[in-house]
Amino acid sequence: MKNVKKWNCILIIFLSIVTISIQSCSKDDDAAGPQPNSNTNTEGNTGTDSGTEGDGGSITLYKVEGDKIVKEKDYKVTGKLLEFQKDTKKHEEIWNLVKKIVPPDYRSRMSEFVIFAGENDGTAGYVVERTQDLSKWQMGIAIDFAYQGGFNARGELAYTIVHEFGHIITLDKVQVDSSISQGDCKNFFTGEGCSRGNSNINKLYQSHWADIWEEFGKVNNQSDAQKFYDKYKERYVTQYASTNPGEDIAEVFATFVTRAGGVNGNSRAEKKVQMMYDNAEMIKLRNYIRGNIAKSSRSFLPLPGSWKNANTFGNKNKTHCSIHKH
């Protein structure tokens, strides 16, 4: 009997250690957005004031099938979020804007699309890999954010989608090899895997981050982040871009797309924009997006750096279980 109790005690201790280990990954600040679905290795805010019951801010999960989204699951929600869930016309309106930004051949890399509420933590959108090889991604858009002040008011939603699309095209399997561990990676390690030598994010890192990487490693709080940004401001298109190389390249791509003109000067930030103009694929994407989004009261792109979180910092730490959010 004593042996049974002993083994029960050991088992409890073991399970406790495992639980703590999982939570330390899931509760990374950069992954504190909504829980996309039960299979995602992230933990969302599950407060009842959001009208959700156990699924973070998630409202509806869709499968992406070509040009269409097909409902996979409605999460259990109440109150205002239930109204958002029932208003599928809004879901379709958001998705139609995504289609104007993400070309069909790139859309095939998105296997899932989530409508969620971002009011708890201010998240406007996110992307997260859905396959280990980084070939399929899930995109989430906050419906409350999308209709704040009217659909795509001030172009904020369009900018968010461009930014999140920027994450996918710089972190997918074409750009990053997820089979290479950090210890074996000779290029920039993104968290999802080892960036390929000729990848856009590795080029950005080698040219604009490698020389200050040790100093960046000492950034531990908002005050440190502000000092780091103030010192190297000319390297970044927005303050948010100084969060880490992943956010930097997504912001460079968004600036490249939303700016009507070309490169403005010779600063480090503008050299990053020039890097986009030197890439035929990026130019093609820019032309597709700008050609599809006309400046109007309902659908337009904001001026570069004018989006509401441009002058904030994200969390610098990214791990394999992180959600890239905006």
Side-chain angles (χ1 to χ4, degrees):
M1 192 69 175
K2 287 183 178 180
N3 285 335
V4 172
K5 287 183 179 179
K6 178 181 177 182
W7 283 110
N8 282 342
C9 183
I10 292 172
L11 180 61
I12 290 169
I13 292 171
F14 173 75
L15 290 174
S16 298
I17 292 170
V18 170
T19 301
I20 291 168
S21 176
I22 292 171
Q23 288 181 343
S24 68
C25 182
S26 299
K27 289 188 177 179
D28 179 85
D29 287 343
D30 198 40
Q35 182 174 320
N37 59 46
S38 59
N39 294 321
T40 302
N41 231 8
T42 56
E43 184 165 333
N45 296 324
T46 55
T48 56
D49 59 344
S50 67
T52 64
E53 295 181 20
D55 285 310
S58 297
I59 294 173
T60 301
L61 169 67
Y62 289 94
K63 276 188 177 180
V64 177
E65 295 185 359
D67 286 346
K68 299 179 180 179
I69 49 173
V70 178
K71 186 180 291 187
E72 177 77 7
K73 177 181 180 179
D74 273 335
Y75 291 88
K76 189 176 181 181
V77 294
T78 59
K80 185 171 71 173
L81 299 197
L82 182 58
E83 293 177 25
F84 279 139
Q85 189 175 78
K86 290 179 178 179
D87 197 345
T88 55
K89 286 185 179 180
K90 281 187 169 66
H91 302 187
E92 289 290 343
E93 188 172 31
I94 295 170
W95 174 246
N96 285 335
L97 183 55
V98 172
K99 289 194 295 183
K100 288 181 179 180
I101 291 168
V102 183
D105 49 337
Y106 291 84
R107 214 175 299 142
S108 64
R109 304 179 193 184
M110 291 169 53
S111 60
E112 295 173 341
F113 182 67
V114 171
I115 295 294
F116 73 94
E119 61 186 359
N120 275 0
D121 62 359
T123 303
Y126 70 85
V127 293
V128 63
E129 70 272 18
R130 300 306 293 131
T131 56
Q132 190 173 354
D133 68 352
L134 308 178
S135 63
K136 298 293 183 181
W137 291 74
Q138 179 188 93
M139 178 183 285
I141 296 295
I143 189 169
D144 46 353
F145 168 81
Y147 287 88
Q148 197 173 75
F151 180 69
N152 191 33
R154 299 173 300 282
E156 290 275 346
L157 175 59
Y159 188 97
T160 294
I161 297 168
V162 172
H163 176 101
E164 297 305 333
F165 179 43
H167 280 310
I168 293 176
I169 61 174
T170 56
L171 293 172
D172 72 356
K173 71 173 186 176
V174 176
Q175 300 283 309
V176 177
D177 187 342
S178 63
S179 69
I180 300 177
S181 67
Q182 187 168 7
D184 295 329
C185 182
K186 292 184 170 66
N187 302 317
F188 175 65
F189 189 80
T190 68
E192 290 76 14
C194 183
S195 61
R196 302 183 192 276
N198 63 347
S199 66
N200 290 314
I201 197 166
N202 187 55
K203 289 177 182 177
L204 178 115
Y205 169 78
Q206 299 297 344
S207 298
H208 302 287
W209 281 87
D211 62 318
I212 56 174
W213 193 246
E214 185 176 345
E215 190 172 348
F216 176 69
K218 297 175 183 176
V219 173
N220 294 313
N221 51 51
Q222 290 284 307
S223 176
D224 292 344
Q226 188 65 57
K227 289 176 183 176
F228 179 83
Y229 172 69
D230 289 342
K231 183 175 180 179
Y232 297 110
K233 186 179 296 187
E234 65 99 24
R235 296 188 183 219
Y236 303 106
V237 292
T238 63
Q239 179 176 303
Y240 191 80
S242 68
T243 298
N244 55 43
E247 297 301 346
D248 189 11
I249 200 162
E251 282 292 88
V252 169
F253 177 71
T255 297
F256 164 70
V257 168
T258 58
R259 183 190 289 173
V263 177
N264 299 330
N266 297 311
S267 68
R268 289 278 195 129
E270 292 303 317
K271 286 178 180 177
K272 294 174 184 177
V273 176
Q274 181 64 58
M275 186 176 78
M276 295 288 166
Y277 277 104
D278 292 339
N279 187 312
E281 180 188 12
M282 295 297 114
I283 291 176
K284 188 176 178 180
L285 289 172
R286 181 180 186 273
N287 291 340
Y288 177 89
I289 296 168
R290 294 189 68 85
N292 281 337
I293 301 182
K295 188 171 183 179
S296 70
S297 61
R298 289 185 60 74
S299 181
F300 64 94
L301 293 170
L303 293 173
S306 67
W307 62 283
K308 65 180 183 179
N309 289 328
N311 296 315
T312 63
F313 297 109
N315 186 285
K316 62 172 276 190
N317 300 308
K318 291 192 303 181
T319 67
H320 182 71
C321 63
S322 293
I323 280 180
H324 296 276
K325 65 179 187 174
H326 177 65

